[in-house]
Amino acid sequence: MPRALVTGASRGIGRAIAERLARDGFDVVAAARGQRELDEVCAEITAAGGRCQPLVLDVSDPQSVAAALLGADVDVLVNNAGIGALKPFMETTAAEWQRMIDVNVNALYHVTHAVLPSMIEKKAGHICTIGSISGRSAFVGGSCYAATKAFVTSWSESLMLEVREHGVKVSVVMPGSVTTHFNDHVPSDDDAWKLSAADVADTVSYVVGTPPNVLVHRAEVRTLTVPHGRARR
Ligand SMILES: NC(=O)c1ccc[n+]([C@@H]2O[C@H](COP(=O)([O-])OP(=O)(O)OC[C@H]3O[C@@H](n4cnc5c(N)ncnc54)[C@H](OP(=O)(O)O)[C@@H]3O)[C@@H](O)[C@H]2O)c1
C-alpha cells in the first residue's frame, strides 16, 4: 500500500487531502501539532475503511522533524502546513514575520530533506506542496505571506528540475481563496463564493494520481463564483 505523509492534516485543506488520499488507497500519516484533532481525523478515516496514523509534529522545529522522520519511507509527501498573518507590513510584528518564514518556508527544507533520500533511492516518489495564487499575484496585507508562497513556487520548480531525473515528481498546487479557519483573523462577510477544502484535495488527488511518465508540475485552482470586486481571487 503506498504511503502518503500530509503535513497540516488536522484541519482545513490538509485534513481534506488526508481524507481524499486515504480514499484513493494511501496509507496516510497525518501530521500537525494538535494531537486531539489528528486523532479525530484518523478515527474518521479508519471508520470509513481507510488507513491513517497521527504524527504530532511541529514542522518548523528541525530537531523534532529529524527525529520523527529519520529514515522515513513515504511515496507521497504533501507539504501543506502553512500560516498567514494577513496584515499590512507595518502592523506585522517581527514574531509573526519569523513564524511565517519558519512554517511556510523553512519547514519545507526540514521535511523534504528528511523524505527525499528514500525517494531518490527508490527512483520514485512525489513531493506536492500547497502554494497559493498569492505566490504570483500580490495583495495588500500579503507582504510576507505572498512572498513565502512565491518562494514555494520558485523552490518547487527548481527542485522539480533537479530530481525528475531520479524519477521523483515535484508539484505545486496553488489555490485561490478556500473556506477554512486560515483567514479567521481577517473580517469577511461571506465565504460562500470560496473553494472548499475538498476542491483542493480533488486537485491534489489528480496531480499525484497521474501515470508514471506524466508530471503536472503546477496547478492553479480558482473559484468560478467570484463576487463583484474580488476579481483577483
Ligand atoms: N485557506 C486559504 O484560502 C488558502 C489559499 C491558498 C493556499 N492556502 C494554503 O493551504 C495550506 C493549508 O491552509 P488551510 O487554509 O487549510 O489552513 P488551516 O485551516 O489554518 O490549517 C493549517 C494546518 O496547518 C497546521 N500547522 C500550522 N502550523 C504548523 C506547524 N508549525 N507544524 C505542523 N503543522 C502546522 C495546523 O495544525 P496545528 O495548528 O494543529 O499544528 C493545521 O492542520 C497553507 O499552506 C495555506 O497557505 C490556503
Side-chain angles (χ1 to χ4, degrees):
M1 194 178 217
R3 176 177 283 197
L5 168 62
V6 183
T7 69
S10 59
R11 59 175 184 269
I13 295 169
R15 178 177 183 146
I17 294 169
E19 291 168 353
R20 178 57 204 255
L21 294 185
R23 283 206 302 280
D24 289 349
F26 282 90
D27 183 354
V28 174
V29 179
R33 292 167 303 170
Q35 171 95 59
R36 191 182 50 79
E37 285 174 298
L38 285 176
D39 286 344
E40 277 172 26
V41 174
C42 288
E44 206 172 285
I45 288 175
T46 306
R51 289 175 64 102
C52 182
Q53 60 188 85
L55 176 61
V56 177
L57 183 63
D58 180 345
V59 292
S60 68
D61 178 345
Q63 282 83 26
S64 302
V65 172
L69 298 181
L70 182 71
D73 184 6
V74 299
D75 302 283
V76 171
L77 164 64
V78 183
N79 284 313
N80 162 78
I83 56 170
L86 308 183
K87 50 170 71 171
F89 173 68
M90 286 306 291
E91 291 172 25
T92 305
T93 66
E96 288 169 332
W97 178 278
Q98 186 63 54
R99 196 79 197 121
M100 279 185 275
I101 304 285
D102 281 344
V103 178
N104 299 2
V105 174
N106 294 336
L108 298 177
Y109 178 89
H110 310 319
V111 178
T112 308
H113 222 253
V115 307
L116 194 50
S118 73
M119 291 183 178
I120 290 174
E121 197 175 317
K122 286 187 298 188
K123 296 199 179 307
H126 203 145
I127 312 278
C128 180
T129 302
I130 306 303
S132 166
I133 62 167
S134 65
R136 66 172 200 79
S137 129
F139 66 99
V140 172
S143 62
C144 184
Y145 176 73
T148 66
K149 292 302 180 179
F151 179 99
V152 169
T153 309
S154 180
W155 169 76
S156 294
E157 187 168 2
S158 297
L159 188 65
M160 178 271 289
L161 294 172
E162 192 178 309
V163 300
R164 66 179 167 173
E165 68 184 65
H166 299 292
V168 178
K169 298 183 181 184
V170 179
S171 304
V172 56
V173 171
M174 302 161 68
S177 293
V178 185
T179 308
T180 67
H181 292 297
F182 180 79
N183 286 335
D184 280 356
H185 62 291
V186 181
S188 166
D189 42 1
D190 177 22
D191 269 3
W193 58 276
K194 295 181 179 178
L195 294 166
S196 71
D199 293 329
V200 182
D202 286 347
T203 305
V204 171
S205 168
Y206 173 76
V207 165
V208 304
T210 52
N213 63 322
V214 176
L215 169 61
V216 178
H217 168 63
R218 190 184 304 176
E220 257 187 49
V221 200
R222 294 174 183 255
T223 179
L224 272 189
T225 52
V226 194
H228 186 65
R230 292 192 190 252
R232 202 188 62 79
R233 301 316 220 176

